[in-house]
Amino acid sequence: RKEVEQDPGPFNVPEGATVAFNCTYSNSASQSFFWYRQDCRKEPKLLMSVYSSGNEDGRFTAQLNRASQYISLLIRDSKLSDSATYLCVVTISYSGAGSYQLTFGKGTKLSVIP
Amino acid sequence: GAGVSQTPSNKVTEKGKYVELRCDPISGHTALYWYRQSLGQGPEFLIYFQGTGAADDSGLPNDRFFAVRPEGSVSTLKIQRTERGDSAVYLCASSSGGSEDTQYFGPGTRLTVL
């Protein structure tokens, strides 16, 4: 079982639609949670951190449920520029050496259509 | 300021050859990570440096892979006796350290082994 699992997608949605991505993680020792965005043939970039209380950044809302080991991302009023792959990411500190390696899901591809 | 830079951007080599991939992190970042991203997958952790030392190399797939960071800044990932399965995008990320500190990714080196 992969440590981080995401909806495989692709998601094809019209402009203005609301779209939700879901993600589950298997390691209950996971400490920090993020959504990264990756454009085609580009590097991943942090979209937002995810907190248990839920957090919002403009049209983007992220939620974390530690009990269910579930993370979500909601995008409202989709724009063409939102087209990208969205990566669900967790960190687990495996050693006392302070390594906060990121563990990525496979990503979900979003295409926003005019 | 300058972000993470990686050279070369593309590398094509023949099976069995030796390659070196370079990462120049953001100035002042003590934590440096290498990841590998295969087609259709999320990035996978390879190795973590805190300063000059490899504090966590648990992600290196085998002993053909080695990385150094001799002065605590630039890092080189070295792959001996390359195999076709090593073809991937190799990503470097740096951060100030700590679980909540954002890891900033470089543009990656696309390695193709023929």
Side-chain angles (χ1 to χ4, degrees), chain B residues 36 59-66 79-81 83 86:
Chain B
R36 176 169 74 171
L60 294 178
N62 52 60
D63 61 5
R64 295 186 298 103
F65 288 75
F66 188 71
I79 310 174
Q80 298 178 318
R81 304 183 304 280
E83 300 177 356
D86 298 335

Side-chain angles (χ1 to χ4, degrees), chain B residues 30-50:
Chain B
T30 57
L32 185 147
Y33 298 80
W34 283 98
Y35 295 85
R36 176 169 74 171
Q37 186 171 23
S38 301
L39 194 62
Q41 305 293 319
E44 293 182 325
F45 168 76
L46 295 177
I47 187 169
Y48 158 70
F49 287 89
Q50 180 57 253

